[in-house]
Amino acid sequence: MTTHSIDNIRNFSIVAHIDHGKSTLADRLIQATGTVAARDMSEQMLDSMDIERERGITIKAQTVRLEYKALDGKTYILNLMDTPGHVDFAYEVSRSLAACEGSLLVVDASQGVEAQTLANVYHALDAGHEIVPVLNKIDLPAAEPDRIKQQIEDVIGIDASNAVPISAKTGLNIDLVLEAIVTRLPPPKGDETAPLKALLVDSWYDAYLGVVVLVRVIDGSLRKGQKIKMLGTDAHYEVDRIGVFTPKMKDAVTLGPGEMGFITAQIKQVADTRVGDTITDEKKGCAEALPGFKPAQPVVFCGLFPVDAADFEDLRAAMGRLRLNDASFSYEMESSAALGFGFRCGFLGLLHLEIIQERLEREFNLDLIATAPSVIYKIKLRDGSEIDLHNPADMPDPTVILAIEEPWIRATILTPDDYLGAVLKLCQDRRGIQVDLNYVGKRAMATYDLPLNEVVFDFYDRLKSISKGYASFDYTITDYKEGDLVKMSILVNAEPVDALSMLVHRDRADSRGRGMVEKLKDLIPQHMFVIPIQAAIGGKIIARETVRAMRKDVTAKCYGGDATRKRKLLEKQKAGKKKMRQFGKVEIPQEAFIAALKME
């Protein structure tokens, strides 16, 4: 493979809202350039994980190198990054964009601009990208290309008069997209004679090759056998394999400036390769590092425990292996009286939590139970110190607490006018403060400040159900604000169940507590004795339900005779039940935990 002139290279990514057709467009570009033989093509070629295929979403950003012979007779190298559209994986998006100079902005010609379209375009503009708007699905009867072009100009403020109208599904006008990439996106800048400077875009673990590192060369060149150094971790390696993705791995001799490819260098753990790090030559290194990326901040925390305590070591190993491929996932050990040993894990959002849990269960055959998701609270103590609280069960005594602060977010919600009332009511119910409300074409765009702990529970599901799936939602974390928060514990047979304790706003505690105990009453099976289920704040019980006892008819054998015989048997039974309740253990089945945590 020869090194190409830097002017004939284009690095671009595709940004769009979920389901606007990014991965399908990527398929068509791969097909149109003949990168993959027709017999090897499959739908959503770049979504390699089973979960990505089933859910129809992109989770990991993927890259592929295309060769395209343009109308001007030159052959161009196009490096395509397919990025996720979901808010939880914005971290993946920002990394991919840093490695490119331009973006294709894909907008559905029938749906128009959505919340995540905005978020992802702003990411691209922040990265200094040239943007080419592409209107997808123009073959649909509901498509309104002219209205959507106007909408792109009004909402995002970029010129859409020469947006490329395509249908990624049928392959209509794909050649125009390729020409637009070549003519309208800038080539990368770089100096081949300068010392090596390369950006570490991503890394993952391969069972045969060890750690595979995705790099974007800025200056200089990378060769096989070269000794390299990572500036962030000051680790030294020797490159033993170098190549590009066409989506399959294809070996190369060198990677020049502006090119994207992969290297392997006998790196043992993905943790050794920090995303955003700068790779340079061991001896003639570059002076300063690239700006890199902000590390991913976990936002939502929850405990993951094995259903069978014997699986704990397997879970530990599985988490270690997942951490290899997903640097944004963090965990630490914790133990719980109700659930035994497990891990407290940090995630970027609820979808990320769901995906990780599903991957652990699927790829490692584990049965897991997750506690209620919570956020990080900052607790100011009376002695002037401040602590971060990840788990409500670890909350210090209320007498030493001066104030509790919770994280707030700025949420942007786009919804059709018909559902606006229900959406605003949902935000008000979740203690939201309205910041702005205006119209984007036929749709309302509401901006709200909301406490994050009201959002992590089931806000997204509720939003989707009240808007029949039409509302779109995106958020950024703003700051911490003081709140009137209290710890609510659930007691079953007078024993606190730590996995069900949570921090709630004082005004919401009664309804949350009542909902929880009513739910548990139906979930906990009957025992031989009465089981009280209570919700408590400190020493004050705010809600109670009772699970009735199963009873055996001990008087069945008494036909007639004196009433005292019956009474004697009933008294004996009553005494036995009282003793049982004293020493009896209430078994809470696993399903009850899982169902109780999915509160309405």
Side-chain angles (χ1 to χ4, degrees):
M1 214 184 76
T2 54
T3 307
H4 292 260
S5 146
I6 193 163
D7 297 334
N8 290 0
I9 299 174
R10 297 288 181 274
N11 296 320
F12 70 99
S13 61
I14 305 180
V15 292
H17 187 73
I18 312 153
D19 282 346
H20 280 200
K22 285 189 296 291
S23 298
T24 312
L25 175 58
D27 287 353
R28 290 301 155 271
L29 293 173
I30 290 171
Q31 226 168 352
T33 52
T35 305
V36 175
R39 64 170 188 275
D40 296 333
M41 267 312 281
S42 62
E43 292 278 309
Q44 271 82 42
M45 186 87 197
L46 298 179
D47 289 349
S48 49
M49 278 195 275
D50 294 346
I51 299 184
E52 291 185 313
R53 294 189 159 285
E54 273 172 37
R55 290 175 173 241
I57 57 174
T58 304
I59 295 168
K60 290 294 284 179
Q62 297 282 358
T63 172
V64 61
R65 178 188 179 108
L66 315 171
E67 291 204 7
Y68 169 61
K69 198 165 167 62
L71 297 178
D72 60 10
K74 292 185 196 158
T75 300
Y76 288 88
I77 292 291
L78 312 179
N79 289 313
L80 152 69
M81 300 282 287
D82 183 21
T83 59
H86 204 282
V87 55
D88 286 11
F89 304 113
Y91 169 67
E92 291 275 338
V93 179
S94 64
R95 293 201 307 220
S96 316
L97 296 178
C100 303
E101 285 78 37
S103 294
L104 295 182
L105 163 66
V106 178
V107 180
D108 182 328
S110 59
Q111 302 256 335
V113 177
E114 299 271 357
Q116 250 114 38
T117 317
L118 285 171
N120 289 337
V121 168
Y122 292 145
H123 277 307
L125 289 170
D126 289 346
H129 278 206
E130 190 62 47
I131 291 174
V132 173
V134 174
L135 294 183
N136 190 14
K137 311 191 189 182
I138 59 158
D139 55 332
L140 292 181
E144 304 174 73
D146 295 335
R147 185 174 74 79
I148 303 300
K149 277 185 192 174
Q150 190 57 47
Q151 197 182 0
I152 293 175
E153 293 187 358
D154 295 346
V155 181
I156 302 173
I158 55 177
D159 176 26
S161 54
N162 53 359
V164 187
I166 64 160
S167 164
K169 197 170 178 186
T170 61
L172 176 72
N173 288 347
I174 295 297
D175 49 338
L176 295 181
V177 177
L178 287 163
E179 277 301 314
I181 292 167
V182 169
T183 52
R184 289 163 59 182
L185 295 183
K189 297 183 180 68
D191 178 3
E192 190 154 9
T193 55
L196 170 67
K197 184 190 262 188
L199 175 68
L200 196 158
V201 183
D202 199 1
S203 55
W204 59 93
Y205 190 77
D206 182 291
Y208 300 108
L209 303 170
V211 177
V212 180
V213 177
L214 181 63
V215 295
R216 155 72 207 269
V217 181
I218 312 284
D219 292 328
S221 60
L222 258 173
R223 296 178 314 283
K224 197 172 166 175
Q226 184 174 7
K227 289 194 163 56
I228 54 166
K229 147 172 132 171
M230 311 261 184
L231 285 182
T233 51
D234 200 29
H236 298 250
Y237 302 103
E238 184 177 331
V239 178
D240 47 74
R241 186 176 170 190
I242 192 164
V244 295
F245 290 100
T246 64
K248 295 189 174 55
M249 289 183 162
K250 181 174 156 190
D251 287 354
V253 187
T254 63
L255 285 176
E259 293 197 88
M260 262 189 228
F262 69 87
I263 57 168
T264 63
Q266 294 177 353
I267 304 169
K268 301 289 182 290
Q269 297 184 30
V270 173
D272 302 338
T273 55
R274 286 229 301 271
V275 164
D277 202 347
T278 307
I279 300 174
T280 185
D281 193 85
E282 190 177 65
K283 297 211 168 43
K284 312 188 290 287
C286 59
E288 78 257 20
L290 293 159
F293 314 113
K294 294 198 287 277
Q297 289 296 330
V299 176
V300 179
F301 284 82
C302 93
L304 288 178
F305 295 86
V307 169
D308 178 0
D311 291 342
F312 175 71
E313 282 306 323
D314 296 348
L315 176 61
R316 182 195 296 243
M319 292 220 171
R321 285 185 57 190
L322 258 193
R323 177 93 176 87
L324 287 179
N325 279 359
D326 189 346
S328 51
F329 162 60
S330 56
Y331 64 93
E332 56 189 39
M333 223 184 102
E334 75 165 352
S335 65
S336 140
L339 301 169
F341 286 103
F343 291 94
R344 187 92 195 148
C345 307
F347 306 95
L348 301 177
L350 282 186
L351 180 72
H352 189 210
L353 181 158
E354 218 175 295
I355 299 282
I356 292 270
Q357 195 181 343
E358 202 168 318
R359 283 185 66 183
L360 285 169
E361 287 176 350
R362 239 192 225 185
E363 295 171 25
F364 304 98
N365 290 329
L366 293 164
D367 277 342
L368 297 178
I369 168 172
T371 62
S374 73
V375 296
I376 308 177
Y377 298 95
K378 289 195 187 310
I379 295 189
K380 294 197 159 119
L381 303 175
R382 292 194 183 278
D383 62 7
S385 60
E386 189 179 287
I387 56 171
D388 283 356
L389 179 75
H390 294 208
N391 187 351
D394 304 334
M395 185 153 155
D397 190 279
T399 53
V400 300
I401 296 175
L402 186 65
I404 304 177
E405 295 186 343
E406 58 179 340
W408 280 64
I409 61 171
R410 171 69 53 92
T412 308
I413 301 169
L414 281 161
T415 172
D417 207 16
D418 309 355
Y419 310 112
L420 181 63
V423 170
L424 295 183
K425 182 175 184 309
L426 174 69
C427 294
Q428 296 293 349
D429 289 350
R430 297 298 167 97
R431 320 202 319 260
I433 298 164
Q434 188 172 326
V435 180
D436 192 14
L437 178 64
N438 50 34
Y439 278 81
V440 177
K442 292 180 187 167
R443 283 177 321 164
M445 182 165 124
T447 311
Y448 263 87
D449 281 343
L450 286 153
L452 184 63
N453 75 343
E454 298 284 349
V455 176
V456 297
F457 230 55
D458 56 352
F459 182 83
Y460 197 62
D461 299 346
R462 300 279 312 133
L463 181 68
K464 282 293 182 206
S465 62
I466 59 178
S467 66
K468 300 198 170 48
Y470 284 112
S472 58
F473 166 70
D474 188 73
Y475 67 85
T476 49
I477 294 193
T478 49
D479 59 350
Y480 274 79
K481 294 184 193 172
E482 197 174 310
D484 186 9
L485 301 168
V486 289
K487 176 181 167 186
M488 183 175 80
S489 327
I490 300 290
L491 310 170
V492 174
N493 201 15
E495 294 277 324
V497 181
D498 56 357
L500 295 177
S501 61
M502 58 175 90
L503 277 181
V504 290
H505 196 267
R506 200 181 291 275
D507 301 344
R508 311 283 309 277
D510 285 5
S511 59
R512 204 39 98 65
R514 205 169 304 116
M516 199 69 144
V517 295
E518 280 169 7
K519 204 156 195 185
L520 281 170
K521 180 190 173 195
D522 301 334
L523 295 167
I524 295 180
Q526 287 187 320
H527 285 52
M528 296 304 288
F529 48 93
V530 173
I531 305 171
I533 303 170
Q534 297 158 315
I537 293 174
K540 183 182 167 206
I541 304 293
I542 54 171
R544 169 180 169 141
E545 288 287 339
T546 308
V547 179
R548 290 177 48 194
M550 288 195 288
R551 56 179 292 237
K552 183 181 168 193
D553 189 359
V554 286
T555 59
K557 297 202 264 316
C558 303
Y559 295 106
D562 193 356
T564 51
R565 279 179 68 202
K566 286 188 182 177
R567 199 173 304 124
K568 189 170 149 196
L569 288 168
L570 289 170
E571 289 294 331
K572 198 170 167 188
Q573 184 185 31
K574 195 167 154 192
K577 292 230 185 274
K578 188 175 170 190
K579 193 170 176 188
M580 250 168 52
R581 190 182 151 196
Q582 234 168 346
F583 301 108
K585 273 267 174 263
V586 178
E587 289 298 324
I588 304 179
Q590 226 62 45
E591 302 78 63
F593 269 117
I594 294 165
L597 298 177
K598 287 190 178 148
M599 282 273 295
E600 260 63 83

